[in-house]
Amino acid sequence: MSDSSPDRPAAPVLDVWCELQCPDCRSALDDLRALRARYGDRLELRLRHFPLEKHKHSFAAAQAAEEAAEQGQGWPYVEAVLGRVEELDREGEPFLVEVARELGLDAEEFDTALIDGRHILVVDADQAEGKAIGVTGTPTYVIGGERLDGGKSQEGLRERVEEIADRLLAEQSA
């Protein structure tokens, strides 16, 4: 779904392959906030799910993030959970429902969504697409056809994303 009008070209897309139990993704939050502040709606930031097997609550967290997006609070929820990965490690699904409650979301609906698995297909599809394009860890960014792996080091990644975004935006207005 996009709100771009016919006279305005679609914004370049930055796919962020992420998992909500990942400390590296938490440290990427500042970069994501800075990118959102710098570009606003000129850059479409898309959260893509890539739960890692070593984190036993990451698959449930990805589903919870989808439910939050459905309730209109996708990014605030993602930021809230990522900011407290240790609690997610310790408490698992009850923590995911608690964060929803703290944000004023329908916590009962979160609980039900985690039980009935209504968002599993979206998470599975993201993970499969990620594997197909060579994502192996999180965070991984994809913009303008270029894959930037932040799982090993995030040094210089935001600058690289900005370089590519600026180039794509300049090409649009040329």
Side-chain angles (χ1 to χ4, degrees):
M1 192 175 77
S2 121
D3 56 348
S4 61
S5 55
D7 55 340
R8 204 171 117 210
V13 173
L14 171 63
D15 279 327
V16 183
W17 300 86
C18 178
E19 76 120 274
L20 300 190
Q21 204 178 342
C22 168
D24 290 332
C25 288
R26 176 178 50 197
S27 37
L29 265 181
D30 287 340
D31 283 347
L32 293 177
R33 285 188 190 113
L35 288 166
R36 286 169 61 202
R38 175 172 174 170
Y39 294 103
D41 62 0
R42 294 182 309 132
L43 178 68
E44 185 186 341
L45 219 59
R46 282 197 313 211
L47 180 75
R48 306 299 299 274
H49 302 291
F50 202 76
L52 301 169
E53 291 197 2
K54 65 182 176 183
H55 295 137
K56 64 178 183 212
H57 304 300
S58 62
F59 196 77
Q63 295 175 68
E66 281 300 308
E67 181 58 34
E70 208 158 271
Q71 293 190 30
Q73 292 283 325
W75 278 109
Y77 186 83
V78 163
E79 291 193 13
V81 173
L82 272 177
R84 296 155 65 186
V85 287
E86 296 82 5
E87 286 175 75
L88 177 55
D89 281 345
R90 275 196 316 274
E91 299 166 33
E93 292 188 19
F95 169 72
L96 296 170
V97 175
E98 180 52 37
V99 171
R101 189 172 289 115
E102 288 169 13
L103 290 173
L105 298 170
D106 184 339
E108 297 301 307
E109 203 53 43
F110 265 78
D111 210 23
T112 306
L114 289 171
I115 293 164
D116 72 18
R118 67 183 72 157
H119 302 296
I120 285 176
L121 290 177
V122 173
V123 177
D124 280 346
D126 271 4
Q127 196 169 27
E129 186 182 330
K131 284 180 178 160
I133 63 167
V135 174
T136 54
T138 56
T140 296
Y141 305 94
V142 177
I143 181 170
E146 196 167 328
R147 190 179 79 236
L148 307 166
D149 182 359
K152 294 170 187 58
S153 164
Q154 296 180 50
E155 198 60 46
L157 274 189
R158 184 171 90 208
E159 293 77 8
R160 187 72 191 109
V161 167
E162 289 173 349
E163 224 172 81
I164 297 169
D166 290 343
R167 188 190 74 225
L168 293 171
L169 288 165
E171 286 168 4
Q172 272 187 355
S173 56

